[in-house]
Amino acid sequence: MSSSINDTAATAAPSASFPSSSSSSTNNEIPATSQQMDEMISLLRRISKDGNDADMASTQAALLQRMNPQQQEGNSAASGGSAVNAYSTPMRTPSLPPCLHPIRRLMSTQKPFTIALVSLCLVVTTLYVSESMGALSPSSYSAGGGFGTGTSQGIMASFAIPTTGTFGLKDKTLYYNTNGHSVNPDNGKLTNPQPMSRVAYPDNGSVIATLCTNKDSDVSNLQSALKSLAFLQGDQPADPYSKQLKSPVLVFNEGDITPAQIKNIVSSTDRPIAFPLVDFQNFPRGFNPEREFAKSAAMFEVSGRSPWGYYQMIRFWVTGIWFHPALERYEAVMRIDTDSCFLEPNEYLPHFMHDHLNYHSQYVGVEPEEGREYLNGLYDFAVEYMHRVNKTPGNVMLWHFIDTTWKAQKTLPLFRTNFEISRKSYMLREDVVKWHNALTEEEPFGLLRYRWGDAVTRYLEAAIFCTDEETLTVHPEGYNHKKGCSEEIVAEALQKYGLI
């Protein structure tokens, strides 16, 4: 065998590019490579358990014999002039390990099964590749903003980006006096309201809130109250060239204020002012006002207002205001009534006196004798509520005063809630929201059935949910109410301090 290989190499070397008839041996004119194949086939037949592998080898050898001699010599030349043999065939595939021969035999005998298996593998591979590529395509964004997986949860899901400009706002409130006075002094016309810039008025600032009806007396009182806001110095810069702007005013109303009344109100202040709407015809689910008169305490009615108007006003200040869209951009909310006013300068309002405060209203004593019928069940309700939610008073001193006052006099202490400053994030705290809902939105509907007032429930709230450091109960300097706030008195005070 070795001599045949040497002879073939000797004859192939001088003529690598052009075949010669002398390149064949005299052994029945069979090339040396065919002899090698015959020897390999014989060897495979001896070591194979059956003839299958040998038959395959015979087939390969026959194919080699049918090859064009020129192609064989061309392959030899491409390999640098070395002899062509079975191990140098370019398309030769490595033999499978013996351990895989049974699998190959099974696949060759079970062709339908093999085809089905290969098809299944192709389908699974195609689906996997498509899903992997889809995760990288822009069309994979879900409606919730997720990427690839179709969910909005991720590593940065809790990262909050401050709102700027007007993109994605919930608050669509329109304001007057955003670029100077909206009432033209020459012709008296009122310009249209417009959105208020969040660049000039950044989020989480202070706002002044009030609630007004369309009664002429309420509108007139509100005009005096707005004029007296000139005494508030907490948002008025000492530097006349400062770009600091005054806190806006929100006049909540039921949509029945006339255009003429709006113009008079707008002309009473230089602060941005808006008129967001409230719906006092809406009652909590499960509460039917038509059937509640028999269950309720003596109805508390205010002249010129609907039978449930006063109750709805209390409900709004306790619960409703904190979820109103107009409050979306503010953090500190200073409430005043239409018959409130300031007669002296105040250095910090409409902001909190201290940054650590959550609530500020003046303590003004206890519920007088004529108002105690509206305390029915309230103390026991508060005690039972704390028991059910496993809560202890946050301000032990205030709660001790509540407990002592009730047990000794069957009355409760009050705040003067016609003025109060509340931190919105505190009022929207989960435990505080649950308390508000228990008072106004859920059975036993104590506020609507028994007219529990906001002045007394706010005091209970401060004792249960605030600490002593978070609560301020002093009189706000310069503040007055009702008779002390007539138009004449306010004008005289403004003139005294050179503000008009």
Side-chain angles (χ1 to χ4, degrees):
M1 178 177 175
S2 59
S3 62
S4 299
I5 296 176
N6 292 335
D7 293 343
T8 303
T11 57
S15 181
S17 300
F18 302 96
S20 171
S21 59
S22 62
S23 62
S24 300
S25 72
T26 60
N27 188 9
N28 298 325
E29 300 299 320
I30 299 176
T33 54
S34 297
Q35 295 178 11
Q36 296 174 22
M37 279 295 177
D38 289 340
E39 294 176 5
M40 289 176 59
I41 291 171
S42 299
L43 178 62
L44 287 173
R45 283 179 176 150
R46 289 196 299 269
I47 65 175
S48 176
K49 293 182 180 180
D50 52 38
N52 292 335
D53 291 339
D55 292 341
M56 293 176 63
S58 298
T59 302
Q60 292 182 0
L63 290 174
L64 285 173
Q65 289 178 352
R66 294 192 186 108
M67 290 177 62
N68 191 320
Q70 293 184 357
Q71 182 178 358
Q72 293 185 30
E73 289 198 24
N75 292 339
S76 174
S79 61
S82 60
V84 178
N85 55 59
Y87 299 100
S88 63
T89 302
M91 298 301 294
R92 175 78 175 181
T93 58
S95 299
L96 291 174
C99 63
L100 297 180
H101 290 175
I103 298 176
R104 182 172 64 180
R105 288 194 297 272
L106 176 64
M107 295 178 65
S108 63
T109 58
Q110 301 292 333
K111 291 184 178 180
F113 171 76
T114 302
I115 294 173
L117 181 62
V118 171
S119 301
L120 179 62
C121 292
L122 289 173
V123 170
V124 172
T125 303
T126 302
L127 291 176
Y128 176 78
V129 172
S130 299
E131 182 177 356
S132 300
M133 295 300 294
L136 300 177
S137 65
S139 61
S140 298
Y141 280 101
S142 67
F147 182 69
T149 60
T151 174
S152 62
Q153 299 302 316
I155 296 175
M156 298 300 291
S158 62
F159 181 74
I161 300 177
T163 305
T164 57
T166 58
F167 176 75
L169 301 182
K170 298 177 182 177
D171 176 22
K172 305 298 182 182
T173 307
L174 302 179
Y175 292 78
Y176 298 94
N177 296 344
T178 55
N179 294 311
H181 286 284
S182 292
V183 178
N184 190 313
D186 297 329
N187 55 26
K189 291 185 178 180
L190 182 65
T191 59
N192 292 328
Q194 57 187 359
M196 190 168 62
S197 168
R198 294 212 172 197
V199 176
Y201 293 89
D203 287 0
N204 299 318
S206 296
V207 68
I208 302 165
T210 190
L211 182 63
C212 188
T213 72
N214 64 349
K215 292 179 61 177
D216 289 336
S217 58
D218 288 346
V219 173
S220 178
N221 288 338
L222 179 57
Q223 288 182 254
S224 297
L226 293 176
K227 292 175 182 178
S228 75
L229 297 180
F231 283 112
L232 304 187
Q233 299 177 349
D235 59 356
Q236 298 188 31
D239 181 5
Y241 298 101
S242 172
K243 294 184 179 180
Q244 181 180 350
L245 300 175
K246 297 178 181 178
S247 299
V249 177
L250 297 176
V251 181
F252 291 96
N253 66 98
E254 294 186 78
D256 52 3
I257 300 179
T258 67
Q261 290 173 328
I262 289 177
K263 186 175 75 170
N264 291 335
I265 294 172
V266 171
S267 64
S268 300
T269 182
D270 58 350
R271 295 173 179 270
I273 186 169
F275 295 84
L277 301 180
V278 296
D279 181 8
F280 283 173
Q281 303 305 313
N282 177 43
F283 288 84
R285 181 178 299 178
F287 183 87
N288 188 331
E290 301 299 329
R291 299 176 182 175
E292 292 295 334
F293 283 100
K295 300 179 183 179
S296 303
M299 289 294 293
F300 184 90
E301 296 188 32
V302 178
S303 176
R305 289 179 171 84
S306 64
W308 290 100
Y310 190 83
Y311 296 76
Q312 289 281 39
M313 180 271 292
I314 299 174
R315 181 184 172 214
F316 172 75
W317 288 119
V318 171
T319 304
I321 186 175
W322 311 114
F323 297 94
H324 198 289
L327 228 63
E328 181 254 343
R329 63 193 296 171
Y330 303 109
E331 173 64 3
V333 182
M334 188 185 97
R335 166 192 172 182
I336 59 172
D337 283 0
T338 56
D339 51 1
S340 300
C341 70
F342 291 87
L343 302 178
E344 296 176 1
N346 185 290
E347 295 182 355
Y348 60 89
L349 293 178
H351 305 314
F352 280 106
M353 180 184 288
H354 305 293
D355 291 339
H356 58 78
L357 294 173
N358 280 336
Y359 184 76
H360 175 198
S361 188
Q362 181 186 359
Y363 164 69
V364 290
V366 300
E367 186 71 64
E369 184 69 31
E370 60 271 16
R372 293 179 187 179
E373 63 176 312
Y374 303 117
L375 300 179
N376 183 26
L378 180 54
Y379 172 80
D380 293 335
F381 176 88
V383 173
E384 178 63 18
Y385 181 87
M386 287 193 290
H387 173 72
R388 293 190 183 188
V389 300
N390 195 26
K391 182 80 172 68
T392 57
N395 191 324
V396 177
M397 183 181 70
L398 287 188
W399 182 257
H400 178 71
F401 181 59
I402 291 170
D403 186 63
T404 302
T405 303
W406 178 254
K407 292 177 179 178
Q409 306 178 37
K410 294 301 178 183
T411 188
L412 293 173
L414 305 169
F415 280 137
R416 192 182 196 179
T417 50
N418 44 64
F419 166 87
E420 61 179 355
I421 306 181
S422 306
R423 192 173 297 279
K424 186 182 71 174
S425 56
Y426 159 72
M427 290 296 185
L428 290 178
R429 215 171 66 188
E430 183 178 0
D431 55 342
V432 179
V433 169
K434 288 181 178 179
W435 162 256
H436 291 164
N437 288 337
L439 289 173
T440 70
E441 308 303 302
E442 302 167 355
E443 289 283 359
F445 299 112
L447 185 147
L448 293 172
R449 284 186 179 145
Y450 307 107
R451 216 229 76 180
W452 294 345
D454 56 333
V456 62
T457 57
R458 279 282 197 257
Y459 199 98
L460 290 169
E461 181 178 300
I464 297 172
F465 299 101
C466 274
T467 65
D468 182 62
E469 293 78 11
E470 296 170 340
T471 310
L472 188 63
T473 62
V474 301
H475 170 71
E477 186 177 1
Y479 179 74
N480 279 267
H481 188 237
K482 285 192 178 295
K483 293 182 179 179
C485 293
S486 68
E487 181 180 0
E488 295 76 19
I489 294 176
V490 170
E492 182 180 346
L494 291 171
Q495 188 173 10
K496 177 182 175 181
Y497 284 91
L499 296 176
I500 57 173

